[in-house]
Amino acid sequence: MIFFGIITIKFSVILHVFSESFVLDFVRKTSRVHLHRMEVIFLDNVHWRNIMTEKLEKLKQGYTNLSEWLEHIMAAIVLIAIVIAIASLWEPFKEFLHTRTESGSFLEYMASVFDIVIGIEFFKLLCKPRKDTMLEVLMFVIARHMIIEHTTAVENLLSIIAISILIIVDRYFLKSKTLN
């Protein structure tokens, strides 16, 4: 038992002296390794993040291209519909010529014409999506509602206010000088 106690005391003293230098060396070495690993992990994350950012940008660009192609396809469909509507405008014109003395026949014909004009403006909006084109479409839609439909005085007033707001937006916020 005494022998075991002496060995334990010597071992603990040696361990104590050895452990301080060992621990300091271990900490120095592992901290370098740890720092190196952290740098590698950080650089790997930055590299991975850059790769993912590039892939996401390519994906976004692909979606943008796809949406532009879909807009062109829809514009082509709208153009075909406009051409068909213009061609079919001959029948309402002949009907207007026969019934021109009746009240409301001109408004019926104008409704057909306004529908085509709104379709043309919508086609322009699909081809050149700009704010001023959108305002023109809205103005035509409001004007058609006000002229063609049988509206009350309040609805007419609201239509006039809406067109006035659109003109103000066009004139002062979009810096357009289309209306003098």
Side-chain angles (χ1 to χ4, degrees):
M1 191 80 157
I2 293 175
F3 177 73
F4 183 71
I6 291 172
I7 292 176
T8 307
I9 291 172
K10 285 184 179 179
F11 183 71
S12 65
V13 169
I14 292 170
L15 186 63
H16 180 67
V17 171
F18 178 71
S19 66
E20 286 181 12
S21 64
F22 178 74
V23 167
L24 288 175
D25 286 342
F26 181 75
V27 167
R28 283 187 196 120
K29 288 179 183 176
T30 56
S31 65
R32 283 188 203 131
V33 170
H34 231 332
L35 284 175
H36 180 69
R37 283 185 184 157
M38 287 176 63
E39 289 171 358
V40 168
I41 290 171
F42 178 73
L43 290 176
D44 284 346
N45 283 341
V46 169
H47 179 68
W48 181 79
R49 208 174 311 138
N50 288 340
I51 289 173
M52 291 307 293
T53 303
E54 289 173 8
K55 290 186 181 208
L56 284 174
E57 288 301 319
K58 286 181 182 178
L59 187 64
K60 286 180 186 177
Q61 186 63 36
Y63 286 151
T64 302
N65 291 340
L66 177 66
S67 68
E68 287 175 3
W69 275 102
L70 290 174
E71 283 179 356
H72 291 302
I73 291 170
M74 290 307 299
I77 292 170
V78 169
L79 180 63
I80 292 168
I82 289 171
V83 170
I84 293 170
I86 289 172
S88 65
L89 196 60
W90 183 249
E91 287 300 318
F93 181 70
K94 287 193 311 187
E95 185 179 325
F96 165 69
L97 287 177
H98 292 295
T99 61
R100 66 180 174 266
T101 57
E102 296 177 15
S103 67
S105 64
F106 180 70
L107 288 180
E108 288 178 22
Y109 181 70
M110 286 303 296
S112 302
V113 171
F114 259 119
D115 289 339
I116 294 172
V117 169
I118 291 170
I120 292 169
E121 290 297 320
F122 184 68
F123 175 73
K124 282 176 29 181
L125 181 64
L126 286 174
C127 291
K128 293 181 183 179
R130 298 184 327 219
K131 294 174 188 169
D132 57 339
T133 310
M134 182 182 66
L135 288 176
E136 288 176 11
V137 171
L138 290 174
M139 283 186 202
F140 276 114
V141 168
I142 294 170
R144 181 198 183 283
H145 173 73
M146 193 170 97
I147 294 170
I148 303 301
E149 303 295 324
H150 297 287
T151 56
T152 64
V154 174
E155 289 175 333
N156 286 338
L157 178 66
L158 291 175
S159 297
I160 291 170
I161 291 171
I163 289 177
S164 301
I165 290 171
L166 290 174
I167 290 171
I168 289 170
V169 166
D170 183 47
R171 178 75 175 206
Y172 294 107
F173 294 114
L174 297 179
K175 307 290 187 222
S176 172
K177 304 299 180 196
T178 56
L179 297 173
N180 292 326

